[in-house]
Amino acid sequence: MKRLLFAVVASVAFMACTQQQARFNYRGLPFTLTTQQFTDSMTARGFVVDSAASDSGRTLVYAKAGEHYRVLMAYEQDAMKVVQETYALSTNDSTRRLWQQLRDGLEQELGAWPDCPILKDDHKVANFDATDGIVSVILENTYKPTLTVRYTPKRKE
């Protein structure tokens, strides 16, 4: 009986260890998408390309009416490199509050504690190691409050 129980536990543990982990993504969109596929997905979510803010051949900026953030996607040779959300808020208090909410939400979603190299009132950084990439929540409250969330995949060398 003990051997049977041990065999079942061992097989379950083996399957859990060999099971494919979820790939690093930006809000459900994997970093393996081409720029056109990413643009199509963002368009389906109601975002439009802000051609005035985009840099042809390097970055695309997406905006959506009613959202308090814009999405910047940097790419190279049709491969996504970085996705960054930039929030437009008016006060230092609102950016501090949103920074904490985003940090807590990512902590729960990723099941990991962040590395916080900077934790001052007006400048905070929280870096989450998410298996295939890094998610950074960056607050810079200087003359104009700035809050960004950056998704950077780890490159396989």
Side-chain angles (χ1 to χ4, degrees):
M1 184 67 175
K2 286 183 183 179
R3 288 183 184 178
L4 179 62
L5 182 60
F6 179 77
V8 169
V9 170
S11 66
V12 169
F14 176 74
M15 288 176 15
C17 289
T18 59
Q19 193 173 30
Q20 185 79 4
Q21 290 186 357
R23 304 293 296 166
F24 184 64
N25 66 74
Y26 167 72
R27 296 189 181 231
L29 300 175
F31 273 80
T32 55
L33 295 177
T34 65
T35 55
Q36 186 58 53
Q37 290 171 326
F38 186 81
T39 298
D40 292 343
S41 298
M42 292 299 285
T43 302
R45 294 177 179 198
F47 285 84
V48 295
V49 175
D50 182 351
S51 58
S54 298
D55 177 13
S56 178
R58 292 189 189 108
T59 61
L60 291 172
V61 177
Y62 305 89
K64 180 178 178 181
E67 289 292 344
H68 296 290
Y69 66 93
R70 297 166 62 86
V71 178
L72 177 138
M73 189 264 295
Y75 63 95
E76 185 175 295
Q77 298 175 351
D78 208 31
M80 293 171 48
K81 292 184 68 148
V82 175
V83 175
Q84 177 176 299
E85 296 176 345
T86 303
Y87 288 81
L89 299 166
S90 58
T91 66
N92 288 348
D93 288 339
S94 61
T95 55
R96 285 186 197 114
R97 217 174 7 262
L98 184 56
W99 182 88
Q100 189 65 47
Q101 291 171 353
L102 290 169
R103 180 198 171 278
D104 292 347
L106 284 167
E107 184 179 310
Q108 190 172 40
E109 178 184 333
L110 299 172
W113 286 91
D115 172 32
C116 296
I118 302 172
L119 270 178
K120 300 177 183 174
D121 274 348
D122 291 331
H123 190 187
K124 300 179 184 199
V125 176
N127 296 317
F128 292 88
D129 189 347
T131 60
D132 292 352
I134 303 291
V135 181
S136 300
V137 183
I138 305 162
L139 170 70
E140 294 173 315
N141 279 339
T142 51
Y143 299 107
K144 181 179 178 188
T146 305
L147 178 64
T148 58
V149 181
R150 186 176 304 135
Y151 295 77
T152 310
K154 293 178 184 173
R155 297 290 174 209
K156 309 260 188 286
E157 300 296 323

